[in-house]
Amino acid sequence: MKQEKDFWFDVGPLNAIPPRGARTVKTPRREIAIFRTASDEVFALENRCPHKGGPLADGIVHGRKVACPLHNWIINLEDGEATGADKGCARSFPVKLENGRIYLDMSVAAAL
Amino acid sequence: MSQDDVSRRRKLLVLGNGMAAGRVLEELFARAPDRYDVTIFGAEPRVNYDRIMLSPVLAGEKKFDDIVVHDDAWYAKHNVDLRKGETVVAIDRAARNVRTHSGIVERYDDLIIATGSRPILIPVPGAELPGVVTFRDLDDVNAMLAAASGGGNAVVIGGGLLGLEAAAGLAANGMRTTVVHLMPTLMERQLDPNAAYLLQKAIEKRGIEVLTSANTNAILGDTHVTGVRLEDGRTLSADLVVMAVGIRPNIALAKEAGLEVKRGVIVDDLLRTSDENIFAVGECVEHRGQCYGLVAPLYEMAKTLAASLAGEQVSGYTGSATSTKLKVTGVDLFSAGDFSEGNENDEVVLRDPRRGIYKRVILRDNKIIGAVLYGDTADGSWYFDLLKKGADIAEMRDTLIFGQAYQGGVPMDPAAAIAALSEDAEICGCNGVCKGAISQAIITKGLTTIDDVRAQTKASSSCGQCTSKVESILKFTLGDSYSAAGRKAMCKCTDLTHEEVRGFIISKSLKSVPAVMQELGWKTSCGCPTCRPAMNYYLLCAWPGEYRDDAQSRYINERVHANIQKDGTFSIVPRMWGGVTTPDELRAIADVAERFNIKTVKVTGGQRIDLLGFKKSDLPAAWAQLNAAGLMSGAAYAKGLRTVKTCVGSEWCRFGTQDSTGLGIKLERFLCGSWTPAKLKLGVSGCPRNCAEATVKDIGIICVESGYDIHIAGAAGLHVRGTDLLGHVDTEEDAIEYVAAFMQLYREQAAYLERVWKWVEKYGLDRVRTEIMDDHDGRKALLERFQKSQLAVRRDPWAERAAGRELHEFTPLAALAPITAVAAE
């Protein structure tokens, strides 16, 4: 039987992502953007803006938000919700940081 | 404990005599003074002392006696058998005894491992040389003091808490001290970049040199350290090198005894290791995945362990929130909890540039989750207390940042607050201008704008912090006749306009984004997508070659040197100088298009070829192939020179008056590279028939028999506008010089994202003409500054990336293949 912790996949070291930057993780079902804030917090969202599918990993990260590179929607990194007058939500995924490495919960990230 | 044991005292052995061990025993004796016979093995040849006070000892502010926690009398009073300088080398768990380096074997009922941690030595050549020390115990301090007595140079590797305290102590002892720090900002684990900027200023003010983003490559010297070499080739001379790059839990003993260890000795909430008679406490411990290097968590652990050893029912240790204070006299700094970026709507920031104060409290769900204070830390413990309690601060949010003393008042509307101020209230702290002087000047001199007030009273002309206050005074003095027209704040992070921010960057020599945000009182901690790219540009323009470009403040296109498309793929446009190409170039473009399965190959309006639909990860390979054919980035994504459109000119055209193609190529080669406020497109037409459509370009040249007419400020986009004639020059050389000087004027004066035509209308065509056509010295100076700005950037960004620069932009962090089924076991 698998233990719960086995679903945390090590996707790489924190320092592989620049502060205030993002990189993607390709999974069979979807591409996930992993964001690193200026103070080394990590967040994971599906790499698709709820507006027109823009790659959020390419946006400018500020605070706990990212500006979509296509039409500048501002997406909250914590829950994927669009901010301001815009309505929509990018799916967010459990991610954690341990001893300088980033772990993504594949039981969620690989599910439907 | 079994019933039989109750009658006799149990034997407690403590390995290590640091602060954690001392605190456990203190707590234990207070609870159950007669429960144990205690023996301590301490590696250091002295009693227990307050290790965190070593910095004041180094700085000469305290003596060793001042920092002793338990003197010999204390051990005697509690019947503790302290074996100073006796190191335990093995634990025999089956026999329940330990053996020391001198062969003593001692039995235990319960054992506490409090072996602490040791400084990390970075594995560089020369690390073992005499003169290289760490900063951990009194011996280290004595070694540093001995070295400092000879004066000379000290290099401290590590710009964290310990490194900075060591550096301050050495500087106070008269050494010329340099701090070498691997990360871009000091104390990056405890401070945000804003506070780190202030800290660096304060450290440098003491004459300590600070080198950030500096990686130590080797320690130099034959018999004694003589210097430090950095990775970039710089060498620093050094008579003393202090390594203060971090600590590592001492786990060897526990590991050899077969206890469970990871980074530290694994303990449960009762500080018990994997052996039920062995406990561990302090810096050697790993609890719930955390290792601690600060004193407060050690004390909390000690309390739990002592209570449990005393036989009390305890709820267990659950981990600690930590706070940090730097013990450098004259530097007030406090950091606690999660000081992360936060959400700019959920943080409160107060900056007072003149007094060097920065305070930031980070909130979530009306609770404080972190605080960073610099310059005034009086309320640090209050915030930390609210944080630990998880107190709801919704009621006091408006005044939270002013601290505990300001709670309970009624918040005021800022405009009303200004109106209520007395006439002699100081508005501008930098220049000492009071409210009365400003309103007086507005009335008597008929001032109507912020700039008028600045010119007449100097108020808000230094740091700009009081701009909104001055504006409020204008508003209520002038009433309805005040119009803020033309004054637009850069973004919601500041009250200043683009022009004002730029002006201050130069007048106050601000050279980094945190410097701009602090000295100009930014209202957010990390800016926004509007101000960050603008600041980045202004800094690049003001300090060419010196300011380091911040990729994360750039739009994706400029970061990856290609144009993002609606489906997330990218297009690329190679330079085609003056719109001229060759069969070889076209062949190379065709090959790349085929190899990468490019569906659309499009001729652009700027006489080049656009390849659309690249996957981002394919870009470096495509560029390498284009580079091999001599093609480079066309910067079709840049706020910089895009294209120079030309007609064929006198070489072929029967109407051509000059070599417009040749001039276009020369211009493109001379002007491409440096960044401009917005994109810049040129055209050169060989005769007034104007086939290159030069009169709707940002800069257009119309060749005529007598020379070259230089036109500026055309537009053919959302807005269509014919150019204005800037002036006429006789030679090609002049044409290039005047155009470059104009480009520099635009670079220095226009707001970020402001196209040429818009800026010229604002700046004034006559003023541009005077500065470029009439002021010959001024023009030469502009040209010189332009050339300087080009030095730093005239490299092909594609070639750099094809060679591996910023590879992280083009590759995924990870690619996880579908999980293959594994047979059930």
Side-chain angles (χ1 to χ4, degrees):
Chain A
M1 198 184 76
K2 279 210 160 200
Q3 291 180 354
E4 195 188 336
K5 64 175 183 183
D6 292 341
F7 290 107
W8 288 105
F9 268 59
D10 182 343
V11 291
L14 176 70
N15 61 19
I17 306 177
R20 295 173 300 154
R23 289 182 73 180
T24 56
V25 171
K26 290 180 189 300
T27 73
R29 275 196 209 281
R30 56 180 64 86
E31 193 168 277
I32 292 172
I34 312 272
F35 299 89
R36 172 180 178 185
T37 67
S39 49
D40 294 349
E41 288 181 295
V42 291
F43 296 99
L45 298 181
E46 179 148 18
N47 194 24
R48 282 181 56 80
C49 180
H51 178 216
K52 303 244 169 157
L56 295 174
D58 289 342
I60 291 182
V61 176
H62 55 293
R64 279 205 186 91
K65 288 181 193 159
V66 62
C68 175
L70 291 193
H71 308 97
N72 211 29
W73 273 36
I74 308 289
I75 307 296
N76 194 337
L77 295 178
E78 288 166 278
D79 53 13
E81 291 282 353
T83 62
D86 297 324
K87 292 279 169 269
C89 185
R91 196 166 157 192
S92 67
F93 296 96
V95 67
K96 67 176 181 180
L97 190 61
E98 260 180 32
N99 296 327
R101 297 197 70 90
I102 300 164
Y103 295 84
L104 189 62
D105 185 350
M106 288 305 287
S107 68
V108 182
L112 274 174
Chain B
M1 209 190 300
S2 73
Q3 288 298 316
D4 312 333
D5 291 337
V6 175
S7 52
R8 76 171 174 83
R9 280 155 72 109
R10 286 172 70 84
K11 175 83 187 171
L12 178 66
L13 275 192
V14 184
L15 309 188
N17 193 27
M19 301 181 70
R23 183 55 72 103
V24 171
L25 294 179
E26 226 170 68
E27 297 271 356
L28 177 64
F29 295 148
R31 289 175 159 81
D34 301 319
R35 196 176 186 88
Y36 284 102
D37 285 325
V38 179
T39 299
I40 305 175
F41 290 103
E44 281 189 66
R46 53 184 72 91
V47 293
N48 183 19
Y49 60 93
D50 187 347
R51 201 182 293 284
I52 56 177
M53 297 311 277
L54 284 173
S55 295
V57 172
L58 177 64
E61 293 158 5
K62 280 199 181 346
K63 299 246 174 303
F64 178 70
D65 288 346
D66 301 333
I67 68 167
V68 165
V69 179
H70 297 141
D71 55 14
D72 288 312
W74 184 87
Y75 294 101
K77 181 182 161 203
H78 293 282
N79 275 321
V80 174
D81 179 9
L82 169 62
R83 315 274 183 89
K84 297 176 196 167
E86 193 77 43
T87 311
V88 169
V89 294
I91 303 169
D92 184 339
R93 290 166 52 198
R96 284 217 214 160
N97 65 37
V98 303
R99 187 162 44 78
T100 73
H101 70 290
S102 60
I104 298 170
V105 173
E106 193 79 32
R107 192 193 60 81
Y108 65 81
D109 294 312
D110 290 313
L111 178 69
I112 297 176
I113 299 177
T115 45
S117 59
R118 62 180 188 285
I120 294 173
L121 286 175
I122 51 173
V124 291
E128 307 301 327
L129 278 170
V132 180
V133 301
T134 56
F135 186 17
R136 173 73 193 169
D137 57 28
L138 188 68
D139 296 333
D140 294 330
V141 171
N142 288 334
M144 281 191 253
L145 288 173
S149 66
N153 299 307
V155 172
V156 176
I157 302 174
L161 201 65
L162 271 184
L164 295 177
E165 292 184 3
L170 292 169
N173 278 290
M175 294 193 89
R176 277 184 302 278
T177 307
T178 305
V179 173
V180 172
H181 190 51
L182 184 61
M183 304 304 286
T185 59
L186 295 174
M187 286 182 70
E188 74 286 345
R189 288 174 52 174
Q190 290 89 15
L191 299 184
D192 64 8
N194 306 298
Y197 157 76
L198 284 171
L199 173 61
Q200 183 167 343
K201 260 196 359 186
I203 296 288
E204 286 170 344
K205 222 172 181 172
R206 287 157 194 263
I208 298 171
E209 191 182 5
V210 177
L211 304 177
T212 53
S213 302
N215 194 5
T216 303
N217 200 308
I219 295 175
L220 309 174
D222 296 326
T223 55
H224 189 276
V225 61
T226 58
V228 169
R229 190 174 66 227
L230 304 181
E231 199 172 57
D232 61 14
R234 276 182 291 181
T235 55
L236 312 167
S237 85
D239 306 295
L240 173 72
V241 172
V242 181
M243 280 203 197
V245 294
I247 53 170
R248 188 168 284 148
N250 277 324
I251 58 167
L253 200 56
K255 194 175 176 183
E256 271 167 40
L259 297 174
E260 193 188 343
V261 296
K262 280 185 186 161
R263 250 178 77 216
V265 182
I266 303 289
V267 294
D268 64 13
D269 288 359
L270 294 177
L271 288 311
R272 199 185 293 269
T273 66
S274 54
D275 181 322
E276 64 168 346
N277 293 107
I278 303 181
F279 301 84
V281 66
E283 287 181 347
C284 63
V285 153
E286 178 172 337
H287 172 259
R288 298 193 186 181
Q290 283 288 330
C291 295
Y292 295 96
L294 296 167
V295 74
L298 313 195
Y299 287 171
E300 289 175 40
M301 288 182 208
K303 201 171 196 163
T304 302
L305 177 54
S308 129
L309 290 176
E312 291 176 15
Q313 281 296 319
V314 282
S315 50
Y317 172 71
T318 55
S320 300
T322 55
S323 70
T324 310
K325 272 192 119 159
L326 185 71
K327 288 170 298 302
V328 173
T329 308
V331 177
D332 285 327
L333 179 162
F334 175 90
S335 136
D338 185 356
F339 62 92
S340 55
E341 283 306 304
N343 173 329
E344 70 264 29
N345 297 323
D346 225 3
E347 65 178 12
V348 195
V349 176
L350 174 87
R351 305 189 196 231
D352 184 340
R354 182 157 147 269
R355 293 195 295 146
I357 286 174
Y358 170 72
K359 299 185 185 186
R360 175 161 167 241
V361 176
I362 302 101
L363 308 171
R364 192 183 293 170
D365 302 329
N366 288 323
K367 291 185 181 122
I368 296 178
I369 57 166
V372 183
L373 309 177
Y374 191 95
D376 174 6
T377 54
D379 285 306
S381 50
W382 182 61
Y383 292 127
F384 191 47
D385 191 46
L386 291 172
L387 181 154
K388 283 195 291 189
K389 280 197 277 196
D392 190 314
I393 53 82
E395 296 277 303
M396 53 180 162
R397 184 178 172 128
D398 290 345
T399 51
L400 184 68
I401 200 71
F402 303 117
Q404 192 171 15
Y406 287 79
Q407 299 317 311
V410 182
M412 238 179 179
D413 159 43
I418 295 286
L421 286 177
S422 67
E423 291 296 297
D424 58 2
E426 188 178 76
I427 298 297
C428 172
C430 296
N431 296 298
V433 188
C434 66
K435 181 183 153 193
I438 297 170
S439 39
Q440 205 60 35
I442 293 170
I443 296 162
T444 58
K445 300 203 168 118
L447 311 181
T448 57
T449 67
I450 294 264
D451 280 341
D452 290 347
V453 175
R454 286 200 179 117
Q456 295 292 332
T457 70
K458 298 217 67 180
S460 96
S461 63
S462 290
C463 81
Q465 262 287 280
C466 57
T467 302
S468 65
K469 288 187 193 165
V470 173
E471 206 169 11
S472 294
I473 297 174
L474 268 166
K475 263 185 219 157
F476 73 71
T477 309
L478 296 177
D480 291 343
S481 65
Y482 173 70
S483 131
R487 230 198 88 76
K488 203 165 155 275
M490 199 160 157
C491 63
K492 64 187 183 328
C493 306
T494 177
D495 294 325
L496 299 172
T497 64
H498 280 269
E499 290 71 21
E500 290 163 347
V501 170
R502 247 194 136 156
F504 286 130
I505 284 176
I506 292 166
S507 67
K508 297 169 76 75
S509 263
L510 306 178
K511 298 195 174 177
S512 69
V513 169
V516 174
M517 297 203 298
Q518 172 60 27
E519 301 298 344
L520 305 183
W522 238 244
K523 292 188 269 185
T524 55
S525 57
C526 132
C528 71
T530 302
C531 61
R532 266 193 12 224
M535 279 188 271
N536 189 48
Y537 169 71
Y538 295 147
L539 287 162
L540 268 178
C541 182
W543 318 112
E546 189 176 347
Y547 172 72
R548 196 158 22 159
D549 188 64
D550 176 22
Q552 300 310 320
S553 291
R554 286 194 176 277
Y555 184 61
I556 183 67
N557 288 3
E558 293 188 335
R559 228 157 64 215
V560 301
H561 297 271
N563 293 60
I564 195 165
Q565 302 299 320
K566 63 184 281 186
D567 61 354
T569 64
F570 288 82
S571 81
I572 64 177
V573 181
R575 274 225 183 273
M576 233 161 234
W577 306 100
V580 177
T581 184
T582 64
D584 277 346
E585 286 183 354
L586 291 172
R587 211 170 276 123
I589 290 171
D591 286 344
V592 165
E594 278 187 351
R595 175 178 161 200
F596 294 97
N597 210 6
I598 293 309
K599 294 196 181 61
T600 303
V601 180
K602 168 86 177 66
V603 175
T604 72
Q607 300 184 332
R608 333 200 263 186
I609 293 176
D610 193 0
L611 302 161
L612 293 117
F614 280 96
K615 284 189 284 189
K616 192 160 73 165
S617 54
D618 283 341
L619 292 172
W623 293 334
Q625 194 168 334
L626 291 168
N627 282 157
L631 288 156
M632 63 174 268
S633 167
Y637 45 81
K639 314 270 175 262
L641 180 80
R642 299 277 177 97
T643 76
V644 181
K645 187 170 179 175
T646 68
C647 65
V648 290
S650 57
E651 197 187 351
W652 294 92
C653 176
R654 63 205 162 101
F655 300 114
T657 63
Q658 310 283 354
D659 179 13
S660 52
T661 318
L663 176 57
I665 293 171
K666 283 179 195 156
L667 278 169
E668 189 166 348
R669 287 198 186 275
F670 189 64
L671 303 179
C672 78
S674 67
W675 304 96
T676 50
K679 62 183 171 182
L680 196 69
K681 296 179 176 179
L682 271 63
V684 184
S685 285
C687 77
R689 285 169 190 76
N690 191 17
C691 292
E693 296 160 351
T695 51
V696 290
K697 300 296 183 205
D698 296 295
I699 304 173
I701 293 182
I702 305 286
C703 301
V704 290
E705 283 297 343
S706 62
Y708 306 83
D709 287 343
I710 302 174
H711 290 253
I712 56 169
L718 204 55
H719 183 86
V720 181
R721 184 187 192 277
T723 47
D724 296 313
L725 180 66
L726 176 67
H728 178 90
V729 295
D730 298 335
T731 66
E732 217 178 57
E733 289 69 36
D734 280 352
I736 294 170
E737 175 183 321
Y738 283 57
V739 167
F742 172 75
M743 187 160 154
Q744 182 65 13
L745 188 65
Y746 168 61
R747 294 182 76 238
E748 291 175 4
Q749 298 293 338
Y752 189 64
L753 299 185
E754 192 171 44
R755 290 294 292 268
V756 168
W757 67 270
K758 216 163 184 178
W759 164 67
V760 169
E761 287 186 355
K762 194 178 73 185
Y763 194 72
L765 180 62
D766 288 340
R767 195 169 159 200
V768 176
R769 271 194 193 129
T770 309
E771 289 176 34
I772 301 296
M773 304 306 298
D774 305 336
D775 178 359
H776 298 294
D777 291 340
R779 183 184 62 246
K780 295 276 184 211
L782 280 166
L783 178 70
E784 205 171 292
R785 293 202 293 279
F786 179 74
Q787 285 174 303
K788 189 171 176 213
S789 80
Q790 288 286 70
L791 288 178
V793 291
R794 204 168 271 162
R795 286 167 303 210
D796 177 19
W798 286 0
E800 290 178 334
R801 277 149 191 83
R805 184 169 165 190
E806 282 169 18
L807 193 61
H808 65 85
E809 287 285 2
F810 304 98
T811 50
L813 178 63
L816 302 175
I819 301 161
T820 45
V822 178
E825 288 179 35

